[in-house]
Amino acid sequence: MSSTGDTPSFFPPPSPPAPSPAGSSAALLAVQPRRTDVKDTLESILIAFILAFVFRAYIVEAYVIPTGSMATTLLGAHMRFTCPDCGHEFTANYSGARVAGSDEPEIPKFAGPVNARGVMVPRDFHIICPNCGNKIPRPASPHDDGENDARNPAVYYGDRILVQKYLYLVDEPHRWDVVVFKSPYDQPTFQQNYIKRLVGLPGEQLMTLDGDIYTRARESDLWEVRRKSRDVQQALWRLVYDNDQLPKGAPRVNAPFNNPWTPDPASGWTFTNPGGAVAKPEIGGRILTCTAGDKPSVLGFDPDANPDQHALTDFLAFDITASQQAGYYADTYPPNVPPAFYAYAVGDLKLQLVYERKPASGDGPLVLSLSKQGQVFEARFTPGDVRVLTRKDGAEWVELGMTRLTGTGPMQIEFTNVDYQVTVRVNGKEVFATSSAQYSPDVARLMRQHQRQEPVPKPAVRITAERQQCSLSHVSLWRDIFYIPRDLRDSGAMHWGTPDSPISLGPDEFFVMGDNSALSLDARYWNEPIDILASDDLYVAGGRVPRRFMLGKAFLVYWPAALRPWSTGPGIIPNFGNMRFIH
C-alpha cells in the first residue's frame, strides 16, 4: 500500500464529480467563505471564558508565594545579592508591613528607610555571603542604584506557582508533597491559603529530632527516620561551599577569606587554576591536585575558616535579616547573643566532585570521608572499584559493601550521608547505598542529647589520597535542610512535633512544615483547635490539617520571581531560567 496518500491499486479509481451548472447554488456554496457574525464571535469568547473558569476552578490554579516560609525551595518577598568577591548569587528575606485589611505583605521597590524613634534612617542589613562569608558592603556613594547594596536594597515579589486542585479527591497525599491548604491558624474564617511541605500522614505519631522527621504507628513501636526521595532531596540541598565560586581577593568589609579546604602540613595537595597557574593556599584554586606517596595526603574542610559563613550549621542566608527586625538594623549582632538559626550543627551532607587519576601513577585509594554523631563513613576509590567502610567511636573499620567500576577517565562522584543513609553515585548512577540494618539512628542517644541540650559537634569532611597523582575539580559541599525541634527565640511557643511533644494524627489529619524551618509559622505552632461543629460538623485538635482543608499539590513554578528591566522599575521580566517543577 502506498504511503503517499494515493488510492490503493486494488480499488477502482473513483469517478470524477459532475460539474455544477454555472451560477447554480452549489457553485456559489463552493466558492463563498463561511460568514462569521458577531453572535458567533461572542459565543466563542464565552465558551473560552467558561473553559478557563472551569480549568481554574477544578484543575489548576495560580498562586503567588508571599513569604519566605518555604525558602529557598520557593521564594516569597525577597532581596537579591551577588557577592562582589566570589560572585555567588543568593537571596535574603524581606519582611515588611502588611497591606491594610489583608495578610499579604506590602512589597515596596526598595527596603527602607525605617522609622527609628521618630527619625527616618536608612535601613542597613548585615548581609553575609553563604559561600565565602563576605559581608555585602554599603553603597560607596548615595548615587548607587541599590541593586547590590546592604542599605535599602531592591525588593522583589515571590514565585508564582501552579497548583493541581482537587488532586487529592482521586489520589492520596504523599509525604514530602508541597501542598496548598486552608490555614487552621487563620481563625475563625479559615480563608487564608498556606503552602507547606507535607511531612506527617494520617494515623501516625511524628516528631522532629536532630533535623530529621521520625514517625511510628503506635507508642509501643520504634521511631523510624523518614527518608526523602532523590527528586525531593535534590531540591532541598543547601550550599555550604562551592570551590568553583572562588573568591577573587576583592577588598572585604569583614575578615579576609581563608580557604576552608586545608591540607595537612607536608601533604601532596596543591591548588591550581585552569591553565595550570599555582594559586595561593589561603585563597585556594578551582582545581585541587595531589602527588601522593605511601603516606596519606589529607585535605580537610575547616568549617571555622570563615566564622561569618557559619558553615555546617543550619544557618541560611535567606534568614539573616530576621534578627534585624523590630527596629534593630545595626551591622553587628548584640554581644553574646548569636542568632538562633546558627545553633545546630548539621551532619547530613553531600560531597560532590570530579575525580581524575593520572594513568599509571599508582594504585592507591582516593578516600572521601564524612562523619556524623561519632560515626565515620569512607568511600575508598581504587582502580576498578569503590568500597564503603564505617567505624563508630574509634572502633575497628567495618566494610559495608564493594562495587566494581568500569570505564576510564574522569569520574563525577557524589558521596552523601543524609537521613541515615550513605550513598555513592558515580557518573549519575547510584552504585552503593546502605540499608537500615547497616546504618540507622540511635534514637535514645539523640533524645538524651535533645533533653540535656548537649552541643553536637560539627561533622568532619576529609579527602585523602595515597600512591597516585590525581586532580579534583568542581568540588562542592552541601547540607540538607534542618527541621529545628525547639524555638530558641521564644521558649515554649512550639507546641507540636517536637521530641518533648510528639503529635498523634487522626485518620484524616496531616502535619505540615515549611522548608525554611526557622521562619515558618507552620503546624508546630498551631495550638488552637478547629472547632466549626455548628456549621460544618468539624472538630480537629491543634497542629493538624484536616483532609477537607487540603486544596491541592503545587507542581510548577511557572513565573519565577521576576527581574527588573532597570534598577528603579518593577520586576516584570520572568526569570525563565528558574522555571522548575516543584519537588
Side-chain angles (χ1 to χ4, degrees), residues 512-545:
V512 295
M513 295 173 62
D515 286 355
N516 187 356
S517 187
L519 288 187
S520 179
L521 184 61
D522 52 40
R524 296 169 297 172
Y525 297 90
W526 302 339
N527 199 34
E528 293 297 321
I530 301 171
D531 187 357
I532 47 178
L533 285 172
S535 62
D536 207 22
D537 192 27
L538 179 66
Y539 180 88
V540 177
R544 289 112 170 133
V545 178

Side-chain angles (χ1 to χ4, degrees), residues 121-135:
V121 297
R123 193 170 185 181
D124 291 335
F125 292 98
H126 188 82
I127 304 297
I128 296 294
C129 172
N131 183 60
C132 71
N134 182 30
K135 182 182 182 299

Side-chain angles (χ1 to χ4, degrees), residues 480-529:
D480 190 18
I481 64 168
F482 189 95
Y483 293 114
I484 58 175
R486 180 187 293 112
D487 189 347
L488 300 182
R489 295 160 292 170
D490 184 9
S491 179
M494 194 178 291
H495 305 287
W496 306 107
T498 71
D500 307 303
S501 57
I503 190 166
S504 297
L505 301 171
D508 286 307
E509 297 171 355
F510 300 89
F511 195 75
V512 295
M513 295 173 62
D515 286 355
N516 187 356
S517 187
L519 288 187
S520 179
L521 184 61
D522 52 40
R524 296 169 297 172
Y525 297 90
W526 302 339
N527 199 34
E528 293 297 321

Side-chain angles (χ1 to χ4, degrees), residues 429-510:
K429 180 182 178 181
E430 183 180 294
V431 299
F432 175 82
T434 56
S435 65
S436 296
Q438 291 175 316
Y439 182 36
S440 58
D442 185 343
V443 177
R445 177 180 179 179
L446 296 174
M447 291 287 282
R448 287 194 300 271
Q449 286 178 343
H450 171 82
Q451 292 163 356
R452 299 171 183 174
Q453 300 186 36
E454 295 177 1
V456 177
K458 293 180 181 179
V461 183
R462 292 187 176 88
I463 303 173
T464 306
E466 297 180 50
R467 303 190 308 279
Q468 62 178 292
Q469 295 180 36
C470 65
S471 65
L472 308 179
S473 58
H474 305 297
V475 181
S476 60
L477 185 62
W478 305 76
R479 70 161 179 88
D480 190 18
I481 64 168
F482 189 95
Y483 293 114
I484 58 175
R486 180 187 293 112
D487 189 347
L488 300 182
R489 295 160 292 170
D490 184 9
S491 179
M494 194 178 291
H495 305 287
W496 306 107
T498 71
D500 307 303
S501 57
I503 190 166
S504 297
L505 301 171
D508 286 307
E509 297 171 355
F510 300 89

Side-chain angles (χ1 to χ4, degrees), residues 124-175:
D124 291 335
F125 292 98
H126 188 82
I127 304 297
I128 296 294
C129 172
N131 183 60
C132 71
N134 182 30
K135 182 182 182 299
I136 302 297
R138 294 176 177 178
S141 76
H143 304 292
D144 288 353
D145 62 15
E147 281 294 294
N148 195 50
D149 300 322
R151 173 174 289 178
N152 302 338
V155 180
Y156 294 84
Y157 283 86
D159 291 326
R160 297 176 183 269
I161 66 169
L162 293 180
V163 175
Q164 293 173 301
K165 298 187 69 176
Y166 305 115
L167 172 68
Y168 297 136
L169 293 179
V170 296
D171 187 25
E172 278 295 305
H174 297 88
R175 197 187 317 273

Side-chain angles (χ1 to χ4, degrees), residues 86-101:
C86 72
H88 179 62
E89 298 178 355
F90 62 101
T91 57
N93 178 64
Y94 174 78
S95 179
R98 300 284 175 174
V99 176

Side-chain angles (χ1 to χ4, degrees), residues 248-295:
K248 300 179 291 292
R252 296 164 71 104
V253 177
N254 51 345
F257 174 77
N258 291 304
N259 180 20
W261 287 110
T262 307
D264 281 359
S267 75
W269 289 101
T270 57
F271 304 133
T272 62
N273 286 309
V278 178
K280 297 180 180 179
E282 63 271 20
I283 298 296
R286 293 178 62 186
I287 300 175
L288 313 179
T289 61
C290 187
T291 300
D294 293 335
K295 184 178 179 180

Side-chain angles (χ1 to χ4, degrees), residues 221-237:
D221 294 339
L222 298 177
W223 289 103
E224 294 183 54
V225 65
R226 290 301 173 185
R227 297 179 177 130
K228 299 177 281 291
S229 69
R230 176 166 172 79
D231 285 342
V232 172
Q233 187 61 65
Q234 287 296 94
L236 296 181
W237 288 118

